Amino acid sequence: MNGYLSIRNLTVRLKGGGTILRDVSLNVAAGQVHGLMGESGAGKSMIGKAVLGTLPRALDITSGQIWLDGVDLQTLPPAERRNRIGALAALIPQDPLTALNPSRRIGPQITRRLVDILGWKRQDAAKRALELLNEVHIPDAPRVMRSYPHELSGGMRQRILIASAFAAEPKLIIADEPTTALDVTVQKQILHLISEMQARHDTALLFVTHDLGVMSKVCDTLSVLYAGKVVEEANMPRFFMRPIHPYSAALLAATPTYTDPTSSLTPVPQTVVDQVEREVMEHDLRTAS
Amino acid sequence: MTLLRIILIRLLTTAITLFGVAIIVFVVIRVVPGNPIAMMLPPGATDADIARLQAQYGFDKSIFQQFVIWLGNVTQGDFGTSISLRQPVSDLVLGRLPATLELSIIALTIAVIIGGTMALLGTRFRDTKGEAAVDVSAGMALSIPDFLWGLVLILLFGVFWPIFHISGRVSPSINIDFTTNFFLFEALMRLRFDVIADLIGHMFMPALALAIPLAAIIAQLLKQSLKETMHLDYVTLARTKGYGENHVIAREALPNAILPTLTLVGVQFTFLIGGTVIIERLFSYEGLGNMAIDAVINRDLPLIQGIVILFALLFTIVNLVVDMLYVVLNPKLRHA
Ligand SMILES: Nc1ncnc2c1ncn2[C@@H]1O[C@H](COP(=O)(O)OP(=O)(O)O)[C@@H](O)[C@H]1O
Ligand SMILES: [Mg+2]
């Protein structure tokens, strides 16, 4: 059960009390796609931030380990941890409109970390950036390299952020709802692009979404999160055939099937919500004593 | 909004502003009590003498007529003759302008360096005692006006620990023939380090007194802006790439955080220039402000008018430069 990324019993709390992540464990195997599913506010983004070392200052990791490439990140001194994360992992952010620095041209935003952190030669980094932009199907890459973010569309910017994420050949990519901020028309292209890049570069991918339909197409395994607690971890075929937790089953039932476009969304039944809420409470009582 | 449009609009508003300023000054200084002629009369002057002088300076005409005549002369570059100094106003004013410009620019430089450093340190150590220290010192700096800082500095560096000159612009012992009145600039160009040291020795205290309040404002505004920027997604993304705190603050956040503070700092800089009037007096620094006070004491109407118009022009130029900087530094406007 040792993934390339292995989160073990991770608990994250607000500094003033209040639990954000409850004893979370999950594994992302090398080269595999692991889905992270849960309604908004469940703590999906905080898992990604905990791994990448960008948790808000108000939050603390109070227990648990985060193993990346066989090393427990929590045991490293800050600078070393940062370098290691920077070299091995990368983020595809949720909102491409805010994730690029508005006062810097696109080219440097892709190449700078290669030069600054990984010690590449400037020309090599520029060449690599051009290759990457071609790889994510951006026409007229040299011109785009000289553009500022505001001159480009949302879809274009997300392609650039994807290219940038793959620039240093990371072994793990965390994609945090990478299409929710985009037009429906480009969502599919971007999803397809991420899958394509993941397969070609053979990276592990932690894919955060609250869209089961998307997940069914992209992921090998998944975790279902509710109120910062993993309620089910499964591989995709098993999950779709026999979800174990009632909450998972309710999510599946709530998702319109692709074979039947007329089926409507059904909400998660109150009894199921009550049950998970009870489980979360019991968990808190157990850990508090 | 292109640079050219900004400049054109600004030229137009500048002309209107200056016209308004001219009217106000012209009327106000003629309405307040105090007769300029009385100040220059020899003892025992007769009524006829007074009338002759009144006519010579045009004070026997109505304010409206005086204004029209003055405006007509101004359009030909003639700002009249100083009553107390008996020299052309334009010569006097332009002769003093370089001293005030140099003082203001040195003060601005000091303010940006001190304020910028405080903002960066406050952001680096945000939510700790370090940030609290920045807040407290900025608050203290702001609660004391510039001329009181001037007095404090005179006590500190002029009396207790006399390392700076407390009055004047340049020591009489300095042996140099300046070809312009931009003493500091000229000394820099000619690499006369002895002269530079002497000028800075005179300028340091008045410039610092002017700079302290502005530095505090820069520290507060820029720190606030930096802290807000630090939460933005592109800063977080830079962190995931392996960049440390210092780099993230200086390279990712700073260039974007400067923009919203720039306009306010521009406005504050015009206040700093206004502050030179009292500070120059305090340090007997031979600039425009010092001359302005003498002009008011002597009811030297032509000179007062000239100085006020020049200050107004200076303020609009500062605002224009700020607007242009805003466009140049903001890629969204630069290519629009
Ligand atoms: N900066 C913060 N300070 C305190 N609580 C936060 C902060 N950011 C997020 N949270 C809380 O953490 C929980 C999980 O948030 P998040 O991981 O963003 O949810 P999501 O699953 O939608 O990505 C939410 O309840 C949210 O209120
Ligand atoms: Mg989220």
Side-chain angles (χ1 to χ4, degrees):
Chain A
M1 260 298 269
N2 266 344
Y4 184 76
L5 169 70
S6 178
I7 300 176
R8 296 185 197 162
N9 308 101
L10 182 70
T11 295
V12 169
R13 291 213 165 91
L14 262 170
K15 284 213 169 86
T19 312
I20 302 290
L21 296 179
R22 299 177 153 84
D23 220 5
V24 166
S25 296
L26 64 80
N27 279 283
V28 189
Q32 297 271 298
V33 184
H34 185 82
L36 191 51
M37 165 92 202
E39 57 193 49
S40 97
K44 306 181 295 295
S45 295
M46 293 306 140
I47 292 180
K49 283 173 185 281
V51 172
L52 295 170
T54 56
L55 277 178
R57 288 178 162 221
L59 306 188
D60 271 333
I61 295 179
T62 53
S63 65
Q65 300 134 32
I66 299 168
W67 293 76
L68 182 65
D69 197 35
V71 174
D72 180 2
L73 293 176
Q74 296 307 105
T75 62
L76 299 176
E80 203 178 313
R81 185 190 322 150
R82 226 169 39 226
N83 279 335
R84 193 170 178 81
I85 293 169
L88 298 178
L91 174 72
I92 300 175
Q94 179 162 3
D95 186 354
L97 298 187
T98 56
L100 288 164
N101 190 327
S103 65
R104 189 172 288 138
R105 292 174 199 275
I106 297 298
Q109 303 210 38
I110 302 176
T111 58
R112 261 168 24 111
R113 60 129 39 128
L114 300 176
V115 177
D116 293 354
I117 310 263
L118 303 171
W120 288 36
K121 281 211 202 77
R122 214 164 277 279
Q123 307 93 295
D124 294 345
K127 224 178 98 200
R128 171 87 175 127
L130 277 177
E131 279 169 23
L132 282 160
L133 290 182
N134 287 326
E135 216 180 311
V136 296
H137 314 298
I138 284 182
D140 201 1
R143 188 187 57 81
V144 170
M145 295 261 285
R146 287 190 307 272
S147 306
Y148 283 93
H150 72 271
E151 298 168 310
L152 306 167
S153 70
M156 199 74 144
R157 289 191 229 182
Q158 193 59 301
R159 284 173 193 279
I160 287 159
L161 286 159
I162 292 168
S164 177
F166 281 91
E169 292 291 358
K171 291 284 179 293
L172 170 72
I173 299 253
I174 296 177
D176 189 352
E177 306 197 38
T179 60
T180 38
L182 298 173
D183 285 352
V184 189
T185 46
V186 282
Q187 285 187 353
K188 239 189 206 135
Q189 300 167 12
I190 295 295
L191 269 176
H192 189 252
L193 178 65
I194 293 174
S195 289
E196 179 191 323
M197 294 289 282
Q198 180 273 332
R200 183 175 325 134
H201 292 265
D202 196 28
T203 42
L205 175 62
L206 180 61
F207 193 94
V208 178
T209 178
H210 50 225
D211 185 340
L212 259 183
V214 165
M215 192 159 285
S216 67
K217 285 186 214 147
V218 180
C219 301
D220 303 302
T221 53
L222 95 168
S223 298
V224 180
L225 202 66
Y226 185 90
K229 188 172 180 296
V230 176
V231 295
E232 176 149 8
E233 188 168 10
N235 64 43
M236 290 313 287
R238 205 274 279 144
F239 182 78
F240 277 98
M241 274 181 336
R242 271 183 298 111
I244 292 175
H245 198 281
Y247 182 70
S248 312
L251 284 182
L252 272 177
T255 307
T257 50
Y258 289 84
T259 46
D260 179 11
T262 59
S263 69
S264 60
L265 278 169
T266 39
V268 176
Q270 191 57 41
T271 51
V272 177
V273 173
D274 290 346
Q275 182 183 341
V276 265
E277 287 289 353
R278 201 162 48 241
E279 284 177 25
V280 167
M281 223 158 67
E282 278 161 12
H283 173 269
D284 286 359
L285 287 174
R286 245 193 343 271
T287 50
S289 56
Chain B
M1 194 85 127
T2 60
L3 268 185
L4 189 66
R5 254 190 76 190
I6 288 180
I7 294 172
L8 283 179
I9 291 176
R10 197 41 79 93
L11 280 179
L12 196 69
T13 52
T14 299
I16 297 170
T17 307
L18 291 182
F19 187 72
V21 168
I23 292 178
I24 292 170
V25 179
F26 210 88
V27 172
V28 165
I29 58 179
R30 279 168 177 74
V31 167
V32 294
N35 186 340
I37 300 301
M39 313 292 284
M40 53 190 303
L41 285 174
T46 62
D47 283 354
D49 292 338
I50 295 175
R52 192 176 44 75
L53 271 174
Q54 294 269 25
Q56 183 185 329
Y57 285 97
F59 295 140
D60 54 341
K61 300 195 173 64
S62 74
I63 290 185
F64 179 74
Q65 280 174 313
Q66 290 183 45
F67 184 71
V68 171
I69 293 170
W70 178 79
L71 201 62
N73 290 338
V74 164
T75 52
Q76 285 153 39
D78 175 10
F79 281 80
T81 306
S82 157
I83 298 172
S84 57
L85 300 170
R86 294 162 211 268
Q87 288 177 49
V89 167
S90 47
D91 290 358
L92 289 168
V93 162
L94 290 180
R96 286 293 184 94
L97 178 64
T100 298
L101 277 184
E102 286 190 345
L103 181 63
S104 306
I105 289 168
I106 294 293
L108 177 65
T109 311
I110 295 175
V112 168
I113 292 172
I114 297 179
T117 308
M118 282 170 73
L120 287 171
L121 287 174
T123 309
R124 179 69 182 80
F125 299 105
R126 64 191 176 285
D127 308 325
T128 70
K129 291 203 179 69
E131 187 186 359
V134 169
D135 289 341
V136 169
S137 27
M140 271 170 36
L142 271 178
S143 58
I144 301 174
D146 48 13
F147 60 89
L148 283 184
W149 279 117
L151 289 174
V152 171
L153 291 173
I154 288 177
L155 278 180
L156 278 179
F157 300 119
V159 178
F160 290 127
W161 190 29
I163 48 173
F164 294 112
H165 302 277
I166 57 169
S167 79
R169 188 179 179 201
V170 63
S171 302
S173 58
I174 287 296
N175 182 21
I176 182 171
D177 283 324
F178 289 111
T179 49
T180 68
N181 281 341
F182 287 98
F183 290 178
L184 187 61
F185 182 73
E186 206 180 318
L188 279 168
M189 289 293 107
R190 288 158 68 173
L191 297 177
R192 285 287 302 267
F193 295 107
D194 55 329
V195 184
I196 295 172
D198 183 74
L199 288 167
I200 294 289
H202 282 89
M203 228 186 248
F204 183 76
M205 282 200 288
L208 187 58
L210 288 166
I212 287 173
L214 180 56
I217 289 171
I218 292 176
Q220 287 179 338
L221 290 176
L222 186 59
K223 177 167 72 68
Q224 191 52 41
S225 180
L226 272 170
K227 282 179 66 180
E228 281 162 19
T229 311
M230 291 301 283
H231 293 297
L232 299 182
D233 287 350
Y234 58 84
V235 175
T236 308
L237 191 63
R239 288 183 198 283
T240 70
K241 293 177 179 176
Y243 288 107
E245 188 72 12
N246 292 342
H247 179 103
V248 164
I249 293 175
R251 299 291 304 276
E252 298 291 331
L254 186 61
N256 297 293
I258 284 177
L259 277 178
T261 54
L262 190 65
T263 321
L264 278 164
V265 170
V267 173
Q268 293 296 330
F269 182 51
T270 59
F271 292 165
L272 183 153
I273 296 176
T276 58
V277 173
I278 289 180
I279 290 293
E280 284 181 0
R281 191 65 169 188
L282 191 61
F283 289 91
S284 309
Y285 183 88
E286 293 116 27
L288 264 184
N290 210 344
M291 183 185 256
I293 290 183
D294 284 331
V296 171
I297 290 173
N298 295 323
R299 298 288 186 278
D300 192 337
L301 302 191
L303 189 53
I304 296 175
Q305 280 153 209
I307 292 174
V308 172
I309 294 287
L310 189 61
F311 268 117
L313 187 63
L314 220 54
F315 289 5
T316 49
I317 290 174
V318 169
N319 285 325
L320 177 63
V321 169
V322 168
D323 285 357
M324 282 165 52
L325 267 180
Y326 196 85
V327 174
V328 169
L329 291 176
N330 190 343
K332 284 186 197 166
L333 299 179
R334 203 186 313 157
H335 301 280

